[in-house]
């Protein structure tokens, strides 16, 4: 299946669900991670969360270096934000589930995230003022049924969703923004 067909688009209700923790890192999870990475790279995204391929489990993949460098994928299983700064910064975000739009979203500038990797090791990721800081928060939101437009004011959300409908009608495909996760 090609990435564009595999990726779930808003307003699919699966993007609104809280995902379940992963109990065991088995072949099914390893295959899911591989599928998500394939889809992410094919769509030229920098991150993808399992509900975006229709699987309601707590796993995300991120590669903020690609395509400027060799692939350097992070697979985060059961990720949790353990620290977030009070200070926030805006960043232009896109999402593979919202083809054709990018939106300025305000988020904490510094975060610390804990997650298991595919080997089951507990890893810690720390990022501030960069794409990784944004991407970690954006992807973990997806596991809680939250998408980027939920961070907008009601008025701004209506405007952006109108823009999204027009982009879809014009044939926008996942990854068609400046930055998409
Ligand atoms: Ni997204």
């Amino acid at each position: 299946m090609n990435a564009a067909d595999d990726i779930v688009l808003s307003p699919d209700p699966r993007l609104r669900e809280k995902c379940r923790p992963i109990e065991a890192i088995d072949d099914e999870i390893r295959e899911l991670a591989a599928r998500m990475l394939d889809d992410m790279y094919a769509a030229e995204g920098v991150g993808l969360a399992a509900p975006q391929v229709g699987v309601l489990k707590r796993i995300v993949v991120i590669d903020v270096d690609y395509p400027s460098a060799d692939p350097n994928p992070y697979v985060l299983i059961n990720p949790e934000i353990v620290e977030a700064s009070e200070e926030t910064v805006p960043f232009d975000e896109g999402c593979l589930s919202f083809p054709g739009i990018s939106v300025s979203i305000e988020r904490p500038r510094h975060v610390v995230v804990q997650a298991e990797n595919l080997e089951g090791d507990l890893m810690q990721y720390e990022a501030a003022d960069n794409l990784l800081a944004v991407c970690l928060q954006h992807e973990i939101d997806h596991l809680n049924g939250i998408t980027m437009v939920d961070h907008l004011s009601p008025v701004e959300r209506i405007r952006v969703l109108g823009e999204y409908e027009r982009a879809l009608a014009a044939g926008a495909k996942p990854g068609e923004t400046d930055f998409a996760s």
Side-chain angles (χ1 to χ4, degrees):
M1 190 178 328
N2 74 42
D5 295 332
D6 203 20
I7 292 173
V8 167
L9 303 185
S10 177
D12 190 296
R14 288 171 290 181
L15 296 173
R16 295 244 149 266
E17 298 285 326
K18 192 166 166 65
C19 297
R20 291 181 302 275
I22 290 171
E23 310 279 349
I25 301 166
D26 54 15
D27 283 349
E28 189 189 331
I29 296 302
R30 283 185 282 272
E31 280 162 27
L32 174 61
R35 172 184 162 201
M36 289 168 63
L37 285 167
D38 283 351
D39 285 348
M40 182 182 77
Y41 289 127
E44 296 182 359
V46 295
L48 189 69
Q52 295 182 277
V53 296
V55 178
L56 299 180
K57 293 185 177 170
R58 301 188 77 81
I59 175 172
V60 309
V61 296
I62 290 175
D63 188 344
V64 293
D65 297 327
Y66 195 77
S68 59
D70 288 338
N72 178 28
Y74 295 163
V75 176
L76 283 75
I77 294 167
N78 300 327
E80 297 285 349
I81 295 174
V82 293
E83 218 181 294
S85 63
E86 276 181 34
E87 191 189 344
T88 60
V89 286
F91 198 96
D92 279 332
E93 300 185 22
C95 180
L96 295 178
S97 295
F98 287 84
I101 62 166
S102 67
V103 193
S104 179
I105 306 283
E106 189 86 33
R107 296 185 189 269
R109 59 171 288 272
H110 170 251
V111 286
V112 178
V113 169
Q114 277 184 359
E116 283 172 76
N117 65 14
L118 274 178
E119 284 70 50
D121 305 318
L122 188 62
M123 308 291 284
Q124 186 157 297
Y125 302 84
E126 181 165 16
D129 294 313
N130 59 16
L131 181 55
L132 180 60
V134 172
C135 202
L136 286 165
Q137 297 178 69
H138 177 120
E139 300 311 335
I140 292 171
D141 267 356
H142 274 302
L143 303 183
N144 295 318
I146 296 167
T147 64
M148 61 182 188
V149 299
D150 297 320
H151 291 276
L152 300 172
S153 69
V155 169
E156 184 66 358
R157 189 179 314 134
I158 288 166
R159 186 190 68 72
V160 164
L161 289 176
E163 194 186 315
Y164 169 56
E165 272 179 36
R166 287 191 294 279
L168 266 193
K173 293 282 179 288
E176 292 183 352
T177 55
D178 296 342
F179 148 57
S181 65

